């Protein structure tokens, strides 16, 4: 009993995103069960200083503030910067690190060396979503593309899917500095700070955290940690001085009219994805259905393998595979095209099964009648079998199309700026999950309801022509 | 002209047709009678190239197929199929097409007739069987007898050398079957060959030049209608005719 109480120090539960989170906090490659990173070490030191026990709660970067509010953890330590919108929701501690932003381009790029040149030449700049860099790009009206993690951003830079990447120096050092295909251009610029985020009502905790940070800075612990990660520079000395160091508060306000336009653009992307993918699915499903039921032994197996593969693995994994896997063998598609192709290939597997059942439902004798009238198989199929099968296939196909509309949201995983991605970004940036969420739902409904309506109309029209294929073909 | 020699057909260890031999010159109508399940439909399907057979040879006009050719998708088989048209026992109208559509589909798609041309011919046929007013209806909106007539016209519209009909009048009233009888007679007189499978001996008596009796998987005998009706050779034929007269 007595021994236990010695260990039962109060826990300091801190949240951070370990996926693509190096060098902040990430799974230790040498020991994947545990985590490492400068924020991890800082959190450990902070807890010790507060006579508490650090307890890491892995979370998702985009929704980190919402998770804090939901009390999944008590503090945010994850390269977290103070911004105006966050100030409404979160208390900020003293800064423990002053960061800057670094622009990177391909080593072969002779044209671009500043952000302004990116704008002038219409280049796209990649960055993480919901961070100082992304806000700077948004405000400045640069063409940009948001990523969930830095690995994807720098890989896309290598592959030419974006023309430059703007990132915290910490991230740039870890992910890009060693890459021979990339180079940093210009000096690091704009300074911001990493702080600890705390719930509004926890002002007591804030005071304790602030006191601990001050001691950690003054006794050199912070310096030791950041030196170890090669992130220490003269700039950091400002942290020691008595007065509050100067850092710019990143400014974000949601401009509703601009937000709606942004969402509208994203909705158009969603429509493009859905229609493009459905086109591929509907077309490719046909040979698949045929191959599986009428092909030779090899074709049969090949089609079955294809169908079971795409139905048996998550579409999200398939998209990631296409996006990051294909470039390895030299095929580099832009994100939106990857999404169309990926979703199309996936849904083709489902469409093929719908076709197969539909064709089976048309009696064999219909083929024989067509043959007896002198029609060859292709003609018989086109004029006699297909129209009957189509009527059977239409309702399940409509269902699939509506499902596909919703599945376009998986494209966020490969940084396609469609409606769901736009929602996450805008809502996270403004913390207005409810309002923007309602608008986004309206957009989705505005797309799927007319679709369902027209499909229903078409069904009815075909239905009026004849209600059952069985009425004149009920025998063997 | 039709010639069948040594036709055999087995399926799943049962014999459906055993050594069937038959010859019929052009311009004639043959009626086939016989108890249910004896292979009449099977014979018709083989005759128009829709059912592979195991032995023998079938000649329709100037085209022949052997047992081997009947089972593989060859150009010869496609040519052979063009020779004859068939009206199925269960009709199998195209449910997605109107009455007119059912009739003009093959003439337009296969023989590349223009729509007006095909429609004109179809209208003439429709008039002969008295279903002109239904031309724009869908099959499911028709009565059984109306469907039957559409199926006959669909096959006739392709003007095949040989027309095979499987129970073409089972759903027709006496007046309507009279129309069909006239139409088929006209068709035969213009040099075509017609084979009709029917349970109605009375209908066949009024139209067929020859009658054939189908016993279990076998063609028992064939003769002119007159002779087979009055002087059947085989006791099985006698018995069958006796029963059909009683009904
Ligand atoms: N696909 C098939 N597989 C196995 N047996 C079959 C098949 N089709 C028909 N048969 C059998 O072949 C025999 C002859 O059938 P068929 O349809 O030719 O008879 P039918 O003389 O036309 O009879 P009905 O007068 O009743 O139409 C029947 O015993 C039937 O069960
Ligand atoms: Mg039959």
């Amino acid at each position: 009993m007595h021994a236990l109480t010695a260990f039962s120090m109060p826990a300091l539960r801190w949240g951070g995103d370990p996926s693509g989170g190096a060098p902040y906090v990430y799974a230790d490659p040498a020991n994947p069960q545990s985590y490492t990173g400068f924020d991890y070490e800082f959190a450990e030191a902070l807890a010790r200083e507060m006579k508490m026990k650090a307890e890491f709660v892995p979370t998702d970067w985009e929704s980190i503030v919402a998770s804090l509010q939901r009390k999944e953890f008590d503090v945010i330590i994850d390269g977290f910067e103070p911004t105006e919108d966050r100030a409404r929701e979160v208390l900020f501690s003293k800064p423990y690190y002053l960061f800057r932003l670094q622009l990177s381009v391909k080593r072969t790029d002779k044209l671009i060396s500043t952000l302004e040149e990116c704008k002038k030449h219409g280049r796209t700049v990649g960055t993480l979503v919901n961070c100082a860099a992304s806000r700077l790009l948004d405000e400045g009206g640069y063409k940009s593309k948001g990523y969930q993690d830095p690995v994807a951003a720098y890989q896309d830079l290598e592959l030419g899917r974006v023309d430059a990447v703007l990132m915290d120096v910490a991230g740039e050092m870890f992910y890009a500095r060693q890459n021979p295909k990339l180079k940093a251009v210009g000096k690091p610029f704009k300074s911001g700070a990493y702080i600890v985020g705390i719930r509004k009502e926890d002002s007591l905790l804030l005071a304790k955290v602030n006191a601990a940070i001050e001691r950690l800075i003054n006794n050199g612990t912070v310096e030791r940690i950041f030196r170890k990660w090669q992130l220490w520079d003269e700039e950091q000395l400002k942290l020691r001085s008595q007065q509050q160091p100067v850092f710019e508060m990143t400014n974000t306000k949601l401009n509703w009219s601009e937000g709606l336009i942004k969402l509208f653009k994203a909705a158009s992307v969603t429509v493009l994805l859905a229609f493009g993918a459905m086109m591929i699915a509907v077309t490719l499903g046909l040979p698949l259905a045929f191959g599986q039921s009428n092909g030779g032994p090899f074709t049969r197996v090949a089609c079955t393998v294809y169908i079971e593969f795409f139905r048996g693995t998550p579409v999200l994994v398939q998209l990631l595979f296409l996006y990051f896997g294909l470039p390895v063998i030299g095929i580099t598609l832009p994100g939106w095209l990857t999404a169309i192709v990926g979703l199309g290939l996936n849904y083709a597997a489902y469409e093929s099964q719908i076709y197969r059942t539909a064709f089976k439902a048309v009696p064999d004798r219909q083929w024989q009648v067509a043959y007896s009238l002198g029609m060859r198989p292709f003609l018989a199929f086109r004029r006699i079998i297909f129209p009957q099968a189509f009527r059977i296939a239409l309702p399940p196909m409509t269902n699939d199309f509506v499902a596909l509309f919703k599945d376009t949201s998986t494209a966020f995983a490969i940084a396609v700026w469609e409606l769901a991605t736009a929602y996450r970004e805008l809502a996270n940036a403004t913390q207005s999950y409810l309002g923007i969420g309602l608008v986004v739902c309206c957009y989705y409904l505005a797309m799927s309801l007319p679709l369902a309506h027209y499909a229903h109309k078409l069904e009815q029209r075909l239905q009026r022509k004849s209600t059952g294929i069985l009425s004149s073909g009920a025998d063997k | 002209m039709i010639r069948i020699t040594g036709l055999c057909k087995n399926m799943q260890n049962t014999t459906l047709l055993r050594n069937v031999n038959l010859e019929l010159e052009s311009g004639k109508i043959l009626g086939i009678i016989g108890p249910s399940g004896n292979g009449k439909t099977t014979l018709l399907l083989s005759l128009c190239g829709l059912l592979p057979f195991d032995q023998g040879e079938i000649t329709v006009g100037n085209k022949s197929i052997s047992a081997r050719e009947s089972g593989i998708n060859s150009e010869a088989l496609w040519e052979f199929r063009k020779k004859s048209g068939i009206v199925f026992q269960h009709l199998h109208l195209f449910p997605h097409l109107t009455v007119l559509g059912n009739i003009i589909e093959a003439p337009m798609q296969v023989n590349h007739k223009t729509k007006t041309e095909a429609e004109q011919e179809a209208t003439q046929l429709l008039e002969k069987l008295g279903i002109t007013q239904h031309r724009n209806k869908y099959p499911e909106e028709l009565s059984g007898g109306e469907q039957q007539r559409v199926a006959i016209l669909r096959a006739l519209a392709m003007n095949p050398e040989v027309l095979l009909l499987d129970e073409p009048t089972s759903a027709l009233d006496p007046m309507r079957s009279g129309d069909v009888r006239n139409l088929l007679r006209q068709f035969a007189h213009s040099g075509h060959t017609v084979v009709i499978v029917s349970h109605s001996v009375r209908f066949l008596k009024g139209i067929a030049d020859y009658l054939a009796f189908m016993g279990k998987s076998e063609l028992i005998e064939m003769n002119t209608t007159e002779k087979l009706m009055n002087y059947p050779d085989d006791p099985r034929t006698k018995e069958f005719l006796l029963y059909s007269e009683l009904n």
Side-chain angles (χ1 to χ4, degrees):
Chain A
M1 254 345 243
H2 200 76
L4 269 178
T5 42
F7 284 99
S8 63
M9 284 191 290
L12 179 68
R13 294 182 306 145
W14 64 282
D17 184 355
S19 72
Y24 299 82
V25 49
Y26 60 106
D28 188 350
N31 183 10
Q33 301 287 13
S34 65
Y35 293 96
T36 182
F38 65 74
D39 268 336
Y40 185 83
E41 291 184 14
F42 172 72
E44 291 278 333
L46 184 68
R48 249 195 321 276
E49 192 63 38
M50 295 166 70
K51 306 269 185 302
M52 293 170 91
K53 194 172 177 312
E55 187 186 316
F56 174 51
V57 181
T59 185
D60 184 46
W61 167 247
E62 273 210 82
S63 52
I64 202 162
V65 171
S67 298
L68 176 74
Q69 308 289 22
R70 284 203 309 269
K71 306 206 170 157
E72 285 170 21
F73 39 80
D74 301 317
V75 296
I76 297 172
I77 302 179
D78 195 10
F80 193 67
E81 327 127 25
T83 63
E84 272 180 16
D85 52 305
R86 285 172 181 162
R88 272 182 268 125
E89 323 262 333
V90 180
L91 295 176
F92 301 145
S93 76
K94 294 182 164 213
Y96 60 89
Y97 182 76
L98 297 175
F99 74 90
R100 314 235 223 150
L101 298 176
Q102 176 68 55
L103 188 69
S104 306
V105 296
K106 263 187 157 159
R107 186 160 294 276
T108 50
D109 195 331
K110 299 265 180 325
L111 200 60
I112 308 288
S113 57
T114 64
L115 268 185
E116 285 322 303
E117 283 167 345
C118 284
K119 195 187 232 172
K120 201 171 97 198
H121 297 291
R123 300 300 181 87
T124 307
V125 185
T127 186
L128 290 185
V129 295
N130 202 17
C131 70
S134 73
R135 294 192 178 126
L136 179 123
L137 292 174
D138 276 358
E139 273 163 41
Y142 300 95
K143 224 163 107 187
S144 70
K145 187 170 174 190
Y147 288 88
Q148 300 294 316
D149 69 80
V151 183
Y154 283 114
Q155 186 175 359
D156 272 8
L157 176 57
E158 244 180 76
L159 295 170
R161 283 171 178 150
V162 289
D163 306 300
V165 167
L166 185 66
M167 195 81 69
D168 292 10
V169 171
E172 188 270 335
M173 274 194 49
F174 194 86
Y175 290 104
R177 198 61 66 81
Q178 315 298 335
N179 189 331
K181 292 191 188 133
L182 306 178
K183 66 179 177 192
V185 287
K187 282 212 152 44
F189 62 98
K190 180 171 169 96
S191 72
Y194 295 152
I195 50 94
V196 177
I198 297 162
R199 271 188 298 277
K200 272 273 190 222
E201 64 268 24
D202 286 348
S203 45
L204 216 64
L205 182 62
L206 176 69
K208 278 164 76 182
V209 167
N210 273 342
I213 290 177
E214 201 168 324
R215 288 200 295 278
L216 289 176
I217 289 171
N218 289 328
N219 69 18
T221 308
V222 167
E223 180 173 346
R224 190 174 48 73
I225 293 172
F226 283 93
R227 268 194 196 287
K228 181 178 160 197
W229 291 89
Q230 297 175 5
L231 289 168
W232 187 261
D233 53 26
E234 292 308 304
E235 183 84 5
Q236 308 302 329
L237 291 173
K238 288 187 191 159
L239 289 171
R240 275 187 205 202
S241 52
Q242 278 313 76
Q243 84 268 29
Q244 189 79 5
V246 264
F247 61 83
E248 300 162 35
M249 179 107 110
T250 323
N251 150 48
T252 43
K253 283 187 285 311
L254 176 67
N255 174 338
W256 268 97
S257 67
E258 213 170 90
L260 285 179
I261 291 172
K262 260 189 153 178
L263 285 176
F264 184 77
K265 275 191 195 153
S268 333
V269 174
T270 293
V271 170
L272 174 79
L273 295 187
F275 276 87
M278 199 61 190
M279 218 108 90
I280 293 180
V282 166
T283 322
L284 183 63
L286 210 54
L288 276 175
F290 252 105
Q292 203 188 17
S293 39
N294 301 328
F298 177 75
T299 321
R300 235 171 249 250
V301 171
C303 290
T304 309
V305 166
Y306 176 98
I307 289 162
E308 294 313 326
F309 174 80
F310 277 97
R311 292 201 306 171
T313 56
V315 65
L316 189 66
V317 173
Q318 291 160 17
L319 288 186
L320 290 172
F321 176 80
L322 287 179
Y323 195 63
F324 296 114
L326 282 190
V328 176
I329 56 167
I331 304 171
T332 305
L333 301 175
W336 63 272
L337 195 55
T338 310
I340 289 180
V341 171
L343 288 167
L345 294 180
N346 181 271
Y347 270 78
Y350 290 98
E351 295 321 292
S352 73
Q353 296 312 294
I354 293 178
Y355 293 155
R356 230 159 61 97
T357 353
F359 287 129
K360 264 205 204 124
V362 180
D364 272 354
R365 280 289 155 97
Q366 290 286 322
W367 285 98
Q368 294 195 333
V369 173
Y371 290 167
S372 80
L373 289 171
M375 298 188 189
R376 300 291 174 100
F378 183 69
L379 183 62
F381 175 77
R382 190 166 62 82
R383 300 287 308 180
I384 306 301
I385 307 302
F386 181 79
Q388 296 183 44
F390 181 68
R391 231 175 319 158
I392 303 169
L394 189 62
M397 280 171 76
T398 316
N399 277 346
D400 266 11
F401 197 16
V402 173
L404 175 58
F405 245 99
K406 295 182 284 180
D407 269 359
T408 52
S409 59
T410 51
F412 92 87
I414 55 173
V416 179
W417 219 79
E418 45 69 61
L419 195 47
T421 315
Y423 172 48
R424 288 166 60 109
E425 279 185 29
L426 280 181
N428 279 316
T430 60
Q431 298 299 313
S432 165
Y433 289 92
L434 207 61
I436 299 180
L438 285 174
V439 173
V440 167
C441 286
C442 287
Y443 271 118
Y444 271 116
L445 286 176
M447 293 183 285
S448 61
L449 285 183
L451 192 74
H453 176 75
Y454 282 117
H456 189 64
K457 273 269 171 69
L458 182 59
E459 248 168 70
Q460 276 184 330
R461 226 185 61 205
L462 292 174
Q463 213 75 44
R464 255 206 305 283
K465 280 192 175 181
S466 161
T467 40
I469 53 140
L470 292 178
S471 60
S472 60
D475 68 324
K476 47 187 167 173
Chain B
M1 194 277 293
I2 296 173
R3 186 188 309 119
I4 301 175
T5 46
L7 179 66
C8 292
K9 164 80 188 167
N10 303 308
M11 196 178 269
Q12 292 152 10
N13 303 327
T14 55
T15 304
L16 301 191
L17 294 175
R18 182 182 303 122
N19 190 24
V20 174
N21 294 285
L22 185 155
E23 203 166 337
L24 184 66
E25 65 264 40
S26 300
K28 297 294 183 193
I29 299 180
L30 166 69
I32 299 181
I33 53 174
S36 206
N38 275 6
K40 303 184 297 295
T41 299
T42 310
L43 180 62
L44 287 195
L45 288 177
S46 309
L47 200 46
C48 64
L50 290 178
L51 193 68
F53 46 93
D54 300 308
Q55 277 173 46
E57 193 182 60
I58 302 178
T59 306
V60 172
N62 56 359
K63 292 274 186 294
S64 306
I65 52 161
S66 61
R68 202 179 56 80
E69 286 168 316
S70 73
I72 44 175
N73 224 337
S74 62
E75 195 56 30
L77 184 60
W78 287 110
E79 286 302 316
F80 178 78
R81 279 176 182 158
K82 274 194 195 160
K83 288 280 164 183
S84 48
I86 181 168
V87 178
F88 286 84
Q89 191 164 9
H90 300 277
L91 311 180
H92 304 288
L93 294 176
F94 302 136
H96 62 296
L97 298 176
T98 59
V99 166
L100 197 63
N102 266 272
I103 298 172
I104 65 174
E105 180 70 12
M108 283 176 63
Q109 299 295 332
V110 179
N111 291 348
H112 306 291
K113 291 197 173 159
T114 63
K115 190 158 192 225
T116 27
E117 200 182 348
E119 277 185 354
Q120 229 162 31
E121 290 175 11
T123 311
Q124 280 171 9
L125 289 171
L126 285 166
E127 265 164 27
K128 285 185 186 160
L129 294 190
I131 41 175
T132 318
Q133 72 272 31
H134 301 308
R135 65 210 299 269
N136 291 323
K137 284 193 181 167
Y138 285 90
E140 58 157 14
E141 300 168 312
L142 300 178
S143 76
E146 288 157 355
Q147 290 186 12
Q148 213 158 33
R149 281 171 278 166
V150 175
I152 293 171
L153 296 185
R154 179 175 65 177
L156 262 183
M158 283 302 280
N159 198 27
E161 205 167 310
V162 172
L163 183 63
L164 312 170
L165 303 104
D166 201 350
E167 296 291 350
T169 57
S170 58
L172 294 183
D173 61 62
M175 194 174 98
R176 290 307 175 199
S177 60
D179 286 346
V180 170
R181 190 181 307 163
N182 291 338
L183 186 65
L184 293 179
R185 217 181 253 142
Q186 206 180 6
F187 185 67
H189 285 165
S190 60
H192 299 82
T193 313
V194 178
V195 179
I196 308 170
V197 168
S198 178
H199 284 121
S200 164
V201 178
R202 191 189 306 156
F203 174 75
L204 291 179
K205 219 158 60 175
I207 184 174
D209 301 300
Y210 300 97
L211 277 186
F213 177 72
M214 213 56 214
K216 186 74 198 149
S217 317
E218 280 177 300
L219 197 74
I220 305 288
E221 59 178 314
M222 172 171 156
N223 216 327
T224 58
T225 307
E226 172 72 21
K227 286 209 178 119
L228 193 113
M229 292 292 296
N230 298 322
Y231 316 104
D233 278 337
D234 198 280
R236 284 168 288 184
T237 319
K238 259 181 219 155
E239 193 188 14
F240 183 81
L241 287 173
L242 199 68
Y243 272 110
S244 44
E245 246 155 62
L246 285 178
N247 291 321

